[in-house]
Amino acid sequence: MPELPEVEFARGVLRRAIAGRTIVRVRVLHPSLAARLPAAARRRLTGRTVRAVERRGKYQLVSLDDGRTMVVHFRMSGDWSVGRAGERDEPYARAVFDLDDGSRVSLIDPRALATLALVDDVARALPPLGPEPGDRAFTPQALAASLRRRRGAIKPALLDQRVVAGLGNIYAVEALWVARIDPRVPACRLGPARLARLVVAARAVLAAAGRERWKVYDREGEPCARCGHAVRRIVQAGRSTYFCSHCQRR
DNA sequence: ATAGGCCTGGAC
DNA sequence: GTCCAGGCCTAT
C-alpha cells in the first residue's frame, strides 16, 4: 500500500486515533523492530501524550509532549490498524500502542520491513528530501535543477527522494506514461516542455490514486490504453518499469 | 550506477 | 521449489 497517497491516508487514520491521546503501553512483537525501538525508547514513549501527526515524504512524524518524535516508515507493507486494547493481536501486528481511552493502534506489517524510531531532532533524523509533489516548489525549473547532472535514466531518478519526496515505483511509472516520456531517457536530457508535462503528470497520478487502476503498471503485454502498442516491462536499478515504447518518446 | 540485504507471503 | 513485491540503505 505505501506510496504517498496511501501514507497520507494512513497518517490521517493515525492522527484521528492518537492525536491528543496518551500512550499507556508499547509492545513490540517482531525482533527486527525491537532493535530499532529498544526497551529504553519504548519506556520513554510510555506516558507521553501525542501532540500531532505529520508527514514528510513517506515518513510519518508523531510528535510527543516531551519534544521527541516517533518517526515511522512503512517501507513495503506497513499499515495502521485501530482497535481496542485487550483484543487479540491482528495477524502481522508488529508493534502495538495502547492509548488512554481504551483504544489501540497497531502497526501491521507482513514483511516486517517497516521502521519505527524515537528521535530528538527530526530534521537530523530524516534523509534529505526534495519537494512534495503538491508543493509550489515542485516546478519544472526545480526538477531541471536537480536533474541537470544526472546522466542516468529518468525513471530511477524519479525514485530518488531528493528529487521529489514521495514518488514510488508505481507512480513514477504511471507519471512517465501520462507525460509520454520514455523511462530510459537520460534525466539531464529532458527539456522544459517535457519536465512541465512530468510535473503535471506526477501530480495527476497521485491525485487520481485509488480512483483508477494503473494505466501501465503491471500490464506487461497488454495494449497501451493510448495507442494499443503492447506494454513492455524492463528492469531499471532493480525495479520493474512498465512503459509503451511507441508513445513514450526518447 | 548497480547488486545485495532486510523480511515474509503469494503466485506460479 | 522459483520469482516477484508499492522502499531504502550500504557496499562495490
Side-chain angles (χ1 to χ4, degrees):
Chain A
M1 337 293 151
E3 281 200 46
L4 197 60
E6 295 83 2
V7 173
E8 179 59 18
F9 179 79
R11 181 191 74 90
V13 169
L14 181 63
R15 183 182 57 73
R16 285 187 289 279
I18 211 175
R21 301 260 67 89
T22 297
I23 299 168
V24 298
R25 186 179 183 214
V26 179
R27 287 182 294 139
V28 170
L29 308 177
H30 192 282
S32 70
L33 263 190
R36 279 284 202 137
L37 198 71
R42 303 200 289 270
R43 246 184 339 263
R44 268 179 284 152
L45 275 169
T46 307
R48 298 278 61 77
T49 298
V50 175
R51 280 192 182 140
V53 180
E54 290 153 315
R55 182 188 59 74
R56 181 74 179 93
K58 295 175 208 163
Y59 294 86
Q60 293 169 78
L61 309 172
V62 182
S63 52
L64 307 168
D65 61 352
D66 66 353
R68 292 192 172 94
T69 303
M70 183 167 71
V71 179
V72 182
H73 196 299
F74 280 167
R75 300 281 188 124
M76 300 287 250
S77 62
D79 200 3
W80 298 118
S81 166
V82 179
R84 305 294 305 167
E87 285 174 349
R88 198 161 96 219
D89 290 325
E90 292 95 329
Y92 309 116
R94 306 304 191 193
V96 184
F97 302 89
D98 288 354
L99 307 174
D100 61 342
D101 62 350
S103 68
R104 81 171 176 210
V105 175
S106 305
L107 172 65
I108 309 297
D109 184 22
R111 289 178 67 182
L113 293 172
T115 57
L116 293 181
L118 185 61
V119 304
D120 293 322
D121 183 349
V122 190
R124 268 190 26 204
L126 296 187
L129 295 170
E132 302 277 332
D135 271 4
R136 300 173 65 89
F138 181 56
T139 60
Q141 294 75 24
L143 250 191
S146 58
L147 298 177
R148 194 169 40 212
R149 297 196 195 74
R150 303 185 65 132
R151 303 169 65 205
I154 179 61
K155 193 271 190 160
L158 282 180
L159 295 181
D160 186 333
Q161 303 294 295
R162 292 172 298 187
V163 173
V164 49
L167 266 200
N169 198 45
I170 292 178
Y171 296 122
V173 163
E174 293 290 309
L176 287 167
W177 182 84
V178 169
R180 304 192 308 280
I181 297 168
D182 188 314
R184 301 165 296 183
V185 179
C188 59
R189 293 234 328 262
L190 293 173
R194 296 208 291 176
L195 290 173
R197 290 213 304 272
L198 191 48
V199 165
V200 171
R203 290 188 175 136
V205 298
L206 291 168
R211 293 204 304 275
E212 286 176 48
R213 237 276 262 175
W214 329 121
K215 290 287 200 295
V216 273
Y217 184 82
D218 202 22
R219 287 183 180 271
E220 183 179 16
E222 295 180 36
C224 169
R226 216 166 21 216
C227 76
H229 213 258
V231 170
R232 287 180 57 190
R233 174 183 178 270
I234 59 175
V235 174
Q236 295 178 289
R239 317 291 305 278
S240 289
T241 299
Y242 299 84
F243 71 111
C244 174
S245 56
H246 184 247
C247 61
Q248 289 180 252
R249 296 311 184 77
R250 296 207 77 120

